[in-house]
């Protein structure tokens, strides 16, 4: 065990200390209290929003070089501390240590990328239809952004929301996820250490009422949310009701098609990576494996062998290949869906049993389920755990129809050596991101991220696309 952290809100550049009735626990060893946490409410949100609003003019009108330098310094500090912060992330969220360090490095890269984007904000000069009239377009900051972030990427997602907001001159009030506040606080602390002015980033820790207060606040100009569909729908209604901008990322039920011409070894490794690493707790995870009948049984046997061999254990143990679920609720959700699939006629090929390890933790046995039908709940509802199911198909067209047949549309993949099928899939898969001979999980930070259908709402996140949500366009006419 490691020392327990005592967390505080960050408001107007200062740590605001209150009572700390909450706790975040180490999912690998639930006896270990990672942090004691405050439980904020409307008063703390009001103070945080007021600080962000007061800081907006100075931050948005500063030289873009000022914003670039802060983000670049924060990137460097975070990279230097990647092992320390990565270890905290793994202890609090349950990712293996290599995954925790890797996510921390990703967050560092995101900060550095958007530090550069602060200097590349540009507009256009356009010809008017009227002689002597000139037209220019500008990108300008919007105001105060409310950011509501999830626990599954507790430093990368706060980074990819905060970095573009800050790069383009906005100010921020962030609510981190309940299970992982210490990791988010580490990032906010580093931003202030890098020279961020008072009030530009504020963080309020607490339960759902904090998020609701941010959504409802009249001085919050935009909301970016990552989480479940149910909560996201409420966030959208609250923001639209008062005409605030809103951006939602709400998960996936991502298909991986494996064709009969696929490289079988590669297909198995792609499925293993996409379905089970990060404990399956990725919105881009491959949860539906749609496999051609000609190779289905060989694929299932080969994948089951690798799944059964995965070493589940303490996230900080260097021998561990898959850590625990983030919480007891998340663990129970996985086992509940396994039971549902079994009851609906699915065949548990490997896994499905409760794990009892030396340390008390929220461990889930990685599970592969075969003989499922497309309309079973295991194939239509997001599990968000190390559980994958296979669907047998007889043709590419049948596979594509099933892949597109759910209300989610975040990421979709195909494993094939057919150029015809690969290109057709890229065009016709109803998903915001498509992968050919790659895992559905795993995206770059400098390109757009987002889905279709009920997976996403609003502008894309990350990369060059982030400018659309985090700025507004002004058109200027002049006559000379």
């Amino acid at each position: 065990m490691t020392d327990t952290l005592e967390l505080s809100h960050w408001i107007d550049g200062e740590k605001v200390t209150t009572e700390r009735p909450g706790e975040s626990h180490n999912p690998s060893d639930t006896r270990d209290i990672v942090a004691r946490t405050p439980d904020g409410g409307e008063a703390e949100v009001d103070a945080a929003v007021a600080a962000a609003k007061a800081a907006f003019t100075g931050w948005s009108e500063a030289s873009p070089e000022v914003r670039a330098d802060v983000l670049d310094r924060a990137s460097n500090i975070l990279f230097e501390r990647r092992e320390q912060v990565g270890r905290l992330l793994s202890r609090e969220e349950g990712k293996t240590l290599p995954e925790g360090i890797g996510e921390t490095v990703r967050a560092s890269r995101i900060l550095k990328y958007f530090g550069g984007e602060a200097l590349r904000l540009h507009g256009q000069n356009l010809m008017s239809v009227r002689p002597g009239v000139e037209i220019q377009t500008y990108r300008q900051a919007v105001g105060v952004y409310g950011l509501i972030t999830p626990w599954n990427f507790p430093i990368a997602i706060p980074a990819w929301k905060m970095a573009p907001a800050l790069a383009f001159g906005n100010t921020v009030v962030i609510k981190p996820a309940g299970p992982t506040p210490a990791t988010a606080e580490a990032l906010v602390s580093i931003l202030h250490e890098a020279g961020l002015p008072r009030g530009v980033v504020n963080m309020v820790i607490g339960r759902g009422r904090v998020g609701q207060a941010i959504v409802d606040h009249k001085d919050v100009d935009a909301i970016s949310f990552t989480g479940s569909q149910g909560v996201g729908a409420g966030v959208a209604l609250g923001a639209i009701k008062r005409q605030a901008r809103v951006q939602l990322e709400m998960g996936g039920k991502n298909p991986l098609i494996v064709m009969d011409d696929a490289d079988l070894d590669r297909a198995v490794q792609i499925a293993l990576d996409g379905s089970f690493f990060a404990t399956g707790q990725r919105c881009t995870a491959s949860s539906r494996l749609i496999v051609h009948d000609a190779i289905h049984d060989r694929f299932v046997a080969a994948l089951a062998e690798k799944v059964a061999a995965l070493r589940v254990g303490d996230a900080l143990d260097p021998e561990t290949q898959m850590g625990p679920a983030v919480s007891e609720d998340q663990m129970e959700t996985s086992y509940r869906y396994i039971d549902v699939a079994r009851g609906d006629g699915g065949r548990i090929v490997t896994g499905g049993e409760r794990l009892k390890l030396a340390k008390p933790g929220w461990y889930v046995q990685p599970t592969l389920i075969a003989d499922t039908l497309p309309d079973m709940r295991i194939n239509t509802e997001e599990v968000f755990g190390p559980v994958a199911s296979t669907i047998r198909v007889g043709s590419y067209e049948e596979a594509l129809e099933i892949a597109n047949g759910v209300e989610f549309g975040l990421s979709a993949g195909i494993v094939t050596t057919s150029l015809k099928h690969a290109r057709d899939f890229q065009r016709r898969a109803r998903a915001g991101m498509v992968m050919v001979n790659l895992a559905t999980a795993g995206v770059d930070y400098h390109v757009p991220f987002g889905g279709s259908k009920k997976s996403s709402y609003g502008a894309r996140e990350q990369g060059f696309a982030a400018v659309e949500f985090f700025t507004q366009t002004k058109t200027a006419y002049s006559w000379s």
Side-chain angles (χ1 to χ4, degrees):
M1 297 187 189
T2 311
D3 290 342
T4 299
L5 302 172
E6 304 289 336
L7 301 187
S8 302
H9 308 300
W10 276 92
I11 299 175
D12 200 20
E14 302 287 344
K15 289 188 175 183
V16 177
T17 302
T18 66
E19 292 183 1
R20 298 182 176 92
E23 294 176 343
S24 71
H25 287 256
N26 179 350
S28 297
D29 184 347
T30 54
R31 300 167 297 182
D32 176 23
I33 300 172
V34 178
R36 292 188 175 88
T37 60
D39 186 15
E42 287 188 15
E44 289 79 12
V45 171
D46 284 345
V49 173
K53 185 177 180 180
F56 173 71
T57 299
W59 181 246
S60 62
E61 294 181 357
S63 165
E65 198 170 53
V66 171
R67 300 194 292 271
D69 287 349
V70 169
L71 290 170
D72 191 65
R73 283 194 296 269
S75 170
N76 293 338
I77 295 169
L78 185 57
F79 187 79
E80 290 168 2
R81 297 179 191 167
R82 61 192 179 278
E83 293 191 8
Q84 173 189 339
V85 177
R87 179 171 288 273
L88 171 63
L89 191 161
S90 294
R91 179 183 169 212
E92 186 174 50
E93 195 272 349
K95 280 185 169 73
T96 65
L97 186 55
E99 289 170 337
I101 294 172
E103 183 184 335
T104 303
V105 170
R106 179 187 177 92
S108 169
R109 300 294 190 199
I110 290 167
L111 296 175
K112 191 168 288 290
Y113 172 85
F114 280 106
E117 289 297 280
L119 296 167
R120 285 189 284 269
L121 198 61
H122 61 269
Q124 295 176 305
N125 288 320
L126 301 169
M127 297 293 293
S128 173
V129 297
R130 293 169 287 173
V133 175
E134 295 181 351
I135 305 171
Q136 293 85 35
T137 66
Y138 301 88
R139 291 281 187 176
Q140 292 187 320
V142 174
V144 178
Y145 275 73
L147 309 179
I148 302 172
T149 60
W151 48 259
N152 64 320
F153 285 92
I155 197 164
I157 292 180
W160 87 43
K161 292 182 188 294
M162 280 196 287
L166 299 176
F168 303 139
N170 302 287
T171 56
V172 164
V173 176
I174 182 170
K175 178 206 173 296
T180 55
T183 306
E185 196 275 342
L187 178 59
V188 171
S189 180
I190 285 172
L191 283 165
H192 283 91
E193 184 180 343
L196 196 71
R198 297 173 65 99
V200 173
V201 168
N202 307 272
M203 181 180 72
V204 181
I205 298 171
R207 292 172 290 175
R209 62 179 180 172
V210 172
Q212 192 64 55
I214 292 172
V215 170
D216 293 340
H217 203 289
K218 64 181 179 60
D219 290 328
V220 173
D221 300 290
I223 306 289
S224 181
F225 166 86
T226 298
S228 69
Q229 278 189 351
V231 177
V235 170
L237 288 173
I240 292 168
K241 181 171 63 178
R242 56 182 191 81
Q243 298 180 328
R245 291 184 171 206
V246 64
Q247 174 189 69
L248 309 174
E249 293 294 344
M250 298 173 290
K253 192 66 185 173
N254 308 296
L256 178 70
I257 295 173
V258 181
M259 293 301 299
D260 56 344
D261 60 3
D263 178 322
L264 187 62
D265 290 341
R266 182 167 182 82
V268 167
Q269 191 58 46
I270 285 170
L272 185 73
D273 180 346
S275 302
F276 297 101
F277 288 105
T279 319
Q281 296 176 149
R282 296 182 284 188
C283 55
T284 52
S286 309
S287 52
R288 294 183 295 147
L289 307 177
I290 304 168
V291 187
H292 196 287
D293 181 67
I295 63 167
H296 178 274
D297 292 349
R298 285 187 292 139
F299 172 84
V300 168
L303 179 59
E305 183 178 353
K306 287 188 176 291
V307 172
L310 288 175
R311 184 184 174 97
V312 180
D314 190 319
L316 299 178
D317 184 339
E319 299 298 317
T320 293
Q321 294 173 290
M322 194 186 90
V326 73
S327 66
E328 184 176 15
D329 283 348
Q330 209 60 39
M331 176 187 72
E332 292 298 338
T333 295
S334 290
Y335 283 120
R336 184 168 65 251
Y337 273 102
I338 291 167
D339 289 342
V340 166
R342 186 187 283 116
D344 287 344
R347 174 170 59 92
I348 309 300
V349 182
T350 187
E353 303 299 325
R354 290 185 177 265
L355 289 178
K356 295 293 184 182
L357 303 184
K359 295 178 182 178
W362 295 309
Y363 296 103
V364 178
Q365 190 174 39
T367 301
L368 179 64
I369 307 169
D371 301 331
T372 70
L373 299 176
D375 59 354
M376 287 181 178
R377 287 180 62 193
I378 194 65
N379 291 321
T380 60
E381 300 175 13
E382 189 174 36
V383 179
F384 223 67
V387 181
S389 51
T390 69
I391 302 169
R392 192 188 299 258
V393 295
S395 68
Y396 167 74
E397 288 296 332
E398 183 185 3
L400 182 65
E401 181 180 0
I402 291 170
N404 288 337
V406 297
E407 63 182 12
F408 294 94
L410 183 55
S411 183
I414 188 169
V415 189
T416 182
T417 55
S418 165
L419 180 61
K420 174 185 174 181
H421 287 151
R423 294 302 186 211
D424 186 76
F425 181 77
Q426 286 180 321
R427 289 191 300 269
R428 295 171 62 199
R430 295 191 62 200
M433 298 175 291
V434 293
M435 312 292 184
V436 176
N437 296 322
L438 292 166
T440 57
V443 296
D444 288 359
Y445 58 83
H446 66 298
V447 297
F449 176 93
S452 63
K453 296 187 277 187
K454 290 188 178 181
S455 283
S456 300
Y457 181 86
R460 288 289 188 254
E461 293 194 277
Q462 293 205 86
F464 57 83
V467 72
E468 295 295 333
F469 183 68
F470 288 99
T471 66
Q472 56 193 346
T473 299
K474 176 176 284 187
T475 304
Y477 293 85
S478 61
W479 178 78
S480 55

